[in-house]
Amino acid sequence: MALPMGATAPLVALSRPLAEFDPEMARAIGDEGRRQSEKLGLVASENFSSRAVREAEGTVLVNKYAEGLPGARYYGGCECVDVIEDLARQRLMAVFGAEHANVQPHSGAQANMAAYMALCKPGDTILSMSLPHGGHLTHGSPVNLSGQIYRFVHYVVNRETERIDMDEVEEIARRERPALIVAGASAYPRRIDFAAFAAVAERVGARLMVDMAHIAGLVAAGLHPSPVPVADVVTTTTHKTLRGPRGGALLCRREHAAAVDRAVFPGLQGGPLVQVIAAKAVCFREAAEPAFGAYQAQVARNAASLARAVQAQGFRLVTGGTDNHLFVADLRAHGLTGRQAERALEQAGILVNRILVPFDPEPPQRASGIRAGTPGVTSRGMGESEMERVAALIGEVLRAAGRGKEQLVQAVTDVGAAVRDLTGTFPVPA
């Protein structure tokens, strides 16, 4: 390649497009785009961000280092990124009516760790929801850093109703006297009474943290009670129902602002990902739009429709249904593990994830259930009638998987064609 007058070889290398410089990577990214487009994504924690969100993330902000907070950075040249981060913080506080926000966490996991650091000391007792009953890995699992730094005790759902039993939560809290109570879940299909958790926390002298990562979009739209007025700290991801970039954020009372900010930096992270913060700011602006509320209402309607239709296909749902964007199906009566079901459905182009059900006899690698959610398919424009069709396809695959390999092969062929027709009709947002 001939160099322009005065240009150096490094400068030319910096200007080469991806497809030319790294065709292998370009192909892999293209393949992922086609996969997202052609498959039916029912993974409850995934969604499709808007063009504006993606544009904000893919900008020159990737070049900037900005340790610290707006107005108090450890690097020069931060006057523009200060504006960006302030926009993100102000918009997030406005959407949820919070007194303080930190938008720097790279993920929900880091937001949760920052909340623990802000409110607890190593070794303190924390009460949270058990992972097999709908909690999250970062809520004190022994394989997670949270469970290695703090002493976690767990509450479980009622064996009969499979719902949170606040009397049991209070009984454990009175016995264990935790420094912190954690509410929120990653696989709980019902509304959570945050005010009841706050009342228990007050009676035992504990702080309350709420992880609303999964339901943040529903909360923003007023379709789920907000934890912000009653919790000391609220954590969230910015993808999932919020439909923004992959990342995390914290909201808290003003009294905890300094502790939360210190926990994020320098406690857990160095320089924030400014390009992701810009994309978060865009997503928070989207969450304030009337169209976002209509979208969330459709997410909830679609989840209820899909859950009812899957139930009609003969599959038992944990708690009997859903109040939010996801449901969990128990497959034990059909002789399937969650792993078998997940793999069979994926062969047909339907993506869910295996998950433990309450009191599950199987280990996490196999599990007895699958979790499905509707944020992604709703972003593609699907409605209740499509959810009924999807439920029929799920039932066809899972029944075939229980009958044997030959039947499954035929079902995968038939359902795969139907999935391609559906995804072709409802393309991924450009």
Side-chain angles (χ1 to χ4, degrees):
M1 171 185 271
L3 298 181
M5 183 68 67
T8 64
L11 180 61
V12 172
L14 285 172
S15 67
R16 294 172 67 184
L18 178 65
E20 176 187 314
F21 175 72
D22 193 344
E24 184 180 24
M25 180 55 67
R27 283 193 298 273
I29 293 172
D31 288 345
E32 171 60 14
R34 283 184 288 277
R35 185 200 66 79
Q36 292 184 18
S37 178
E38 295 170 2
K39 304 295 183 181
L40 193 63
L42 295 173
V43 176
S45 52
E46 293 182 352
N47 208 334
F48 297 103
S49 57
S50 69
R51 177 176 178 175
V53 165
R54 298 194 307 273
E55 284 184 1
E57 187 163 359
T59 62
V60 295
L61 295 172
V62 72
N63 301 326
K64 189 70 189 89
Y65 225 112
E67 281 184 354
L69 290 166
R73 303 288 189 181
Y74 289 82
Y75 288 79
C78 289
E79 62 273 15
C80 299
V81 299
D82 279 0
V83 172
I84 289 165
E85 186 166 344
D86 272 335
L87 278 173
R89 294 194 299 182
Q90 292 160 8
R91 291 173 180 178
L92 181 59
M93 287 187 286
V95 166
F96 292 102
E99 294 178 351
H100 181 74
N102 188 299
V103 296
Q104 292 189 6
H106 301 331
S107 68
Q110 287 181 306
N112 286 350
M113 285 303 300
Y116 301 147
M117 290 177 64
L119 299 175
C120 300
K121 301 185 299 295
D124 275 355
T125 297
I126 301 176
L127 175 60
S128 68
M129 192 175 200
S130 170
L131 178 61
H133 292 250
H136 191 260
L137 193 70
T138 59
H139 297 175
S141 170
V143 300
N144 183 260
L145 187 62
S146 59
Q148 297 170 26
I149 294 178
Y150 305 97
R151 176 183 175 263
F152 273 83
V153 292
H154 300 285
Y155 55 90
V156 301
V157 298
N158 180 277
R159 188 178 286 271
E160 299 300 320
T161 65
E162 298 178 312
R163 299 191 186 212
I164 296 169
D165 183 339
M166 290 308 302
D167 289 335
E168 186 200 19
V169 172
E170 180 159 3
E171 180 183 337
I172 298 171
R174 288 188 180 278
R175 182 177 70 244
E176 300 291 343
R177 294 289 166 174
L180 179 68
I181 296 176
V182 179
S186 66
Y188 186 70
R190 297 298 182 176
R191 287 188 180 89
I192 299 175
D193 189 344
F194 298 125
F197 272 97
V200 171
E202 183 177 8
R203 286 194 287 270
V204 301
R207 300 288 194 185
L208 176 63
M209 168 194 151
V210 172
D211 179 347
M212 68 169 184
H214 264 274
I215 58 170
L218 297 170
V219 171
L223 299 173
H224 189 291
S226 174
V228 173
V230 298
D232 290 278
V233 176
V234 176
T235 66
T236 186
T237 52
T238 50
H239 42 291
K240 301 187 178 80
T241 51
L242 267 182
R243 202 162 61 175
R246 298 192 64 81
L250 298 105
L251 298 159
C252 67
R253 295 174 181 166
R254 193 172 290 108
E255 66 187 273
H256 302 305
V260 163
D261 289 344
R262 284 195 304 268
V264 176
F265 172 82
L268 286 170
Q269 297 181 177
L273 306 178
V274 182
Q275 72 277 18
V276 180
I277 290 175
K280 291 175 185 178
V282 174
C283 119
F284 301 149
R285 178 168 179 170
E286 290 174 350
E289 296 288 318
F292 186 80
Y295 161 71
Q296 294 295 334
Q298 189 63 55
V299 168
R301 287 194 297 269
N302 281 353
S305 177
L306 183 59
R308 285 193 302 268
V310 167
Q311 221 168 9
Q313 290 288 320
F315 298 93
R316 190 188 82 82
L317 302 188
V318 172
T319 76
T322 181
D323 295 328
N324 53 34
H325 64 298
L326 62 82
F327 65 86
V328 175
D330 183 349
L331 305 173
R332 287 176 289 182
H334 296 265
L336 292 172
T337 66
R339 179 167 63 181
Q340 289 170 327
E342 178 190 281
R343 289 177 174 176
L345 288 167
E346 185 166 5
Q347 290 178 54
I350 300 173
L351 306 175
V352 299
N353 68 281
R354 64 183 179 273
I355 201 160
L356 294 167
V357 300
F359 309 102
D360 201 326
E362 296 285 353
Q365 294 85 353
R366 289 199 296 272
S368 294
I370 54 172
R371 181 185 67 168
T374 54
V377 290
T378 306
S379 290
R380 296 181 78 140
M382 297 184 197
E384 291 99 315
S385 61
E386 285 76 34
M387 295 305 97
E388 293 177 3
R389 183 180 178 191
V390 169
L393 298 176
I394 290 172
E396 186 175 344
V397 172
L398 295 185
R399 283 190 295 271
R403 294 182 188 130
K405 185 175 180 179
E406 185 175 333
Q407 289 86 345
L408 178 59
V409 169
Q410 185 60 53
V412 164
T413 300
D414 296 341
V415 171
V419 166
R420 288 189 295 274
D421 178 65
L422 195 58
T423 56
T425 304
F426 295 92
V428 170

